[in-house]
Amino acid sequence: MDLLIQDKVHDESRQGEALVLEPVIGKNNGRKLYIESYGCAMNFSDSEIVASILSEQGFETTSDFNNADVVFINTCSIRENAEVRVRNRLKEFAGAKLKNPGMVVGVLGCMAERLKAKFLEEEKLVDVVVGPDAYRDLPNLIEQVDGGQRAVNVLLSREETYADISPVRLNSNGINAFVSIMRGCDNMCSFCVVPFTRGRERSRDAYSVVVECTDLFNRGYREVTLLGQNVDSYKWTKPLPALSKGEGSNEQDNLEVLSHGEDLGEAVVNFASLLEMVAHVSPELRVRFSTSHPKDITDEVLYTIAKYDNICNYIHLPVQSGNSRVLDIMNRTYDREWYMNRIDAIRRIIPECAISTDVITGFCTETEEEHNDTVSMMDYVKYDFAYMFKYSERPGTLAAKRYADDIPEEIKQKRLAQIVAKQQEYSFYRMQARIGKVEKVLIEGFSKKSNNDYCGRSDQNAMVIFPVSEHYKPGQYVNVLVERTTSATLIGGIIPQTP
Ligand code: SAM
Ligand code: SF4
């Protein structure tokens, strides 16, 4: 087991999901696109950009790859098992291609970037390999394949943010949406392949983010999750242009927020200001974000979260290890004390804030004592959720070059099992602490198990289940009194709003 608790940023239940959208009227080229995605929310968000680019070219989407003319798989390289999964899936596409030799099979995303043209040698059925910054080139690349060639574009960019492409929302409930605010990563954590597969960090135009969130709000969406590998280092600089107006956006307030960072006629928007700008779109639009980096999360961001009711009290703050020596060789650039100081600041400034984390067990040279520091960090923070992984060596990373992957598999597994058990206790503890409290819940739809119940998330990102009421529908907020819990879900009933 690699993953304990799902949330929407890496949702295990969505892995391999195929995306389907309404055809664009008047633009049908008679060809069908099948696209499925693996990995983190950023990849799912990228697949929406890909679908958007190809639907402009007249492609229709299908949920059955056997009927498709173009089959794309948007891949993840973060751990070896993610890549194994994709290779197995490609074997399944081979049968379909045998029946339909004209079918174009393409590999997109991080694995494409990591393996580049080598992919074409290794996987004979693959016709096209496209890295995360080259999606605008897809129409040309498909044309090349149609002309009998195989095609590769894995150029990484220092500028591409796809800011002008309004992503189609795929398989959406019409209530929550992901909005990418930056791409790439400059951090070079020694275990991580992301800086190699997604390139240099760049921040998207702040206005385009606000315009996209405003548009989503106007179309009925009530929650946006701002996405980046390290949202706290978001930084965008531009001379002040005029903001486009939209129902629900408050242009004057947004300009005032921007002017805080004004410098010689330039507006510098950092993550705190961006959060504030998005919070101003409407008090009815919930704002979430992921991922925060412990070295960069500032008190300014924490005060901004505390100031706005619609910025959710939930922070994903990956610790990776609780031991300072291990953090040093992971190149995380903070130590145990720094991390604890950030936790203390969150508790002081946003007392009700839920905190989740990522942990890696069995990193190179980790001793039992150092592992115990991770366990004691879990005791210190009592995380609401955690994603826990065994270290998986990734070719080309700093760790693969510098350190031996020397912790035996059974020890990695034993340490993982220990922290998974510990986290289950703390998740249950955090859930239990909500009993008797009233949670403001955004209704997302019927619960998975029954159409007699609604489900939705609390401000702190806990899943809440409660009986359907005819007075409320998905997309509305309700107050729910929590009566009982499991280790992952709060269960209760709606309290009627006082007029
Ligand atoms: N940018 C985010 C951050 O800094 O925390 C996370 C990015 S990564 C997609 C998500 C998580 O995967 C990381 O936080 C880490 O715990 C895990 N991860 C990354 N590389 C790994 C590796 N080589 N082996 C095991 N887990 C890994
Ligand atoms: Fe990878 Fe570190 Fe960047 Fe996160 S911050 S994507 S773990 S290099």
Side-chain angles (χ1 to χ4, degrees):
M1 184 167 75
D2 225 10
L3 201 71
L4 177 60
I5 292 170
Q6 323 296 337
D7 77 5
K8 286 171 286 162
V9 172
H10 181 124
D11 185 343
E12 194 53 21
S13 65
R14 292 195 67 191
Q15 299 300 299
E17 189 175 273
L19 304 175
V20 182
L21 63 144
E22 292 291 313
V24 178
I25 295 158
K27 284 204 176 170
N28 194 329
N29 69 5
R31 295 176 88 184
K32 287 202 167 70
L33 164 73
Y34 173 87
I35 177 164
E36 70 177 36
S37 315
Y38 292 84
C40 63
M42 193 72 90
N43 254 9
F44 283 79
S45 169
D46 278 3
S47 291
E48 296 182 337
I49 289 170
V50 169
S52 189
I53 292 170
L54 291 185
S55 68
E56 277 301 307
Q57 299 289 313
F59 280 86
E60 251 184 61
T61 42
T62 167
S63 59
D64 178 3
F65 65 81
N66 290 299
N67 291 336
D69 302 287
V70 173
V71 172
F72 281 159
I73 180 160
N74 196 350
T75 59
C76 170
S77 279
I78 200 83
R79 283 167 292 276
E80 195 182 353
N81 56 10
E83 293 201 354
V84 170
R85 209 168 187 177
V86 167
R87 301 253 191 207
N88 288 338
R89 190 64 177 145
L90 283 171
K91 285 190 193 116
E92 291 173 39
F93 295 153
K97 181 140 171 150
L98 218 59
K99 284 188 218 133
N100 174 8
M103 177 191 273
V104 176
V105 176
V107 176
L108 317 182
C110 289
M111 240 176 127
E113 192 62 52
R114 192 175 85 70
L115 293 161
K116 304 186 169 63
K118 233 171 105 194
F119 223 124
L120 298 180
E121 290 153 35
E122 288 176 13
E123 301 285 347
K124 295 287 177 227
L125 91 152
V126 173
D127 304 294
V128 52
V129 175
V130 191
D133 286 347
Y135 297 144
R136 285 181 204 269
D137 198 24
L138 276 168
N140 298 328
L141 297 168
I142 293 174
E143 212 176 291
Q144 274 181 44
V145 176
D146 290 341
Q149 291 167 280
R150 295 165 100 196
V152 179
N153 187 343
V154 286
L155 287 176
L156 287 173
S157 157
R158 280 176 179 259
E159 283 94 35
E160 180 63 270
T161 59
Y162 300 109
D164 57 313
I165 294 180
S166 102
V168 288
R169 303 291 158 182
L170 298 152
N171 302 2
S172 164
N173 59 5
I175 295 164
N176 331 92
F178 290 113
V179 176
S180 291
I181 60 164
M182 55 208 293
R183 298 181 73 83
C185 183
D186 282 350
N187 280 328
M188 300 304 273
C189 299
S190 64
F191 50 79
C192 185
V193 79
V194 169
F196 304 97
T197 59
R198 302 194 73 99
R200 299 304 298 265
E201 181 182 293
R202 62 227 103 115
S203 296
R204 179 178 162 187
D205 177 330
Y207 291 102
S208 77
V209 173
V210 174
V211 167
E212 186 175 331
C213 293
T214 305
D215 176 55
L216 284 164
F217 180 77
N218 291 340
R219 289 196 282 133
Y221 285 80
R222 289 296 174 265
E223 184 179 290
V224 289
T225 303
L226 308 181
L227 289 180
Q229 293 298 348
N230 177 5
V231 288
D232 301 285
S233 65
Y234 176 89
K235 189 171 179 226
W236 181 77
T237 311
K238 195 147 192 231
L240 278 172
L243 234 196
S244 73
K245 265 203 174 135
E247 188 193 321
S249 91
N250 185 335
E251 184 176 349
Q252 190 53 41
D253 286 353
N254 278 331
L255 288 173
E256 273 166 21
V257 171
L258 256 181
S259 66
H260 293 320
E262 207 173 313
D263 173 28
L264 298 174
E266 282 192 331
V268 178
V269 184
N270 64 12
F271 184 56
S273 347
L274 182 75
L275 263 182
E276 200 161 15
M277 287 166 73
V278 177
H280 279 235
V281 166
S282 166
E284 292 291 296
L285 181 71
R286 268 188 173 175
V287 186
R288 299 187 187 276
F289 54 90
S290 189
T291 300
S292 300
H293 196 297
K295 83 174 159 62
D296 291 318
I297 190 166
T298 58
D299 286 0
E300 190 193 0
V301 165
L302 302 181
Y303 283 115
T304 307
I305 300 170
K307 184 172 162 192
Y308 291 92
D309 276 351
N310 60 331
I311 304 180
C312 291
N313 289 343
Y314 168 59
I315 298 176
H316 183 61
L317 197 68
V319 64
Q320 313 298 1
S321 164
N323 176 269
S324 295
R325 187 193 72 87
V326 175
L327 286 170
D328 183 41
I329 59 170
M330 284 178 164
N331 204 22
R332 288 289 286 179
T333 68
Y334 56 84
D335 61 11
R336 180 180 172 89
E337 284 63 42
W338 175 279
Y339 187 88
M340 286 172 148
N341 166 290
R342 294 292 74 209
I343 295 291
D344 296 346
I346 296 171
R347 300 274 185 241
R348 188 177 66 247
I349 298 167
I350 323 164
E352 285 284 290
C353 195
I355 304 176
S356 62
T357 200
D358 292 346
V359 179
I360 297 178
T361 62
F363 186 64
C364 316
T365 72
E366 181 190 66
T367 65
E368 203 58 32
E369 224 180 346
E370 289 167 338
H371 162 70
N372 287 336
D373 281 346
T374 301
V375 177
S376 75
M377 181 66 89
M378 295 174 79
D379 292 330
Y380 185 76
V381 185
K382 301 185 176 59
Y383 293 106
D384 292 72
F385 312 100
Y387 297 90
M388 292 158 278
F389 312 102
K390 283 181 287 185
Y391 172 57
S392 163
E393 186 179 77
R394 306 310 295 131
T397 56
L398 292 180
K401 287 183 191 150
R402 284 187 195 157
Y403 314 112
D405 179 12
D406 57 355
I407 306 301
E409 185 57 29
E410 351 38 287
I411 300 208
K412 283 184 186 171
Q413 186 57 49
K414 192 184 108 220
R415 290 180 187 168
L416 179 65
Q418 189 188 352
I419 62 166
V420 165
K422 173 127 296 212
Q423 183 52 42
Q424 258 157 354
E425 273 173 38
Y426 284 128
S427 293
F428 190 60
Y429 163 84
R430 289 286 178 203
M431 289 282 164
Q432 290 276 298
R434 308 308 298 179
I435 293 179
K437 298 208 161 131
V438 174
E439 304 288 343
K440 184 174 175 187
V441 178
L442 172 60
I443 308 175
E444 291 182 11
F446 292 110
S447 92
K448 273 196 186 135
K449 291 198 182 138
S450 159
N451 278 0
N452 296 325
D453 289 326
Y454 275 146
C455 69
R457 286 186 186 262
S458 69
D459 190 325
Q460 280 102 339
N461 207 33
M463 184 51 84
V464 188
I465 308 280
F466 48 96
V468 166
S469 151
E470 55 179 276
H471 303 296
Y472 300 100
K473 57 181 198 317
Q476 289 185 318
Y477 292 97
V478 280
N479 288 327
V480 175
L481 175 66
V482 179
E483 290 150 9
R484 60 203 166 85
T485 84
T486 69
S487 66
T489 313
L490 304 175
I491 302 159
I494 296 177
I495 314 189
Q497 318 270 23
T498 39

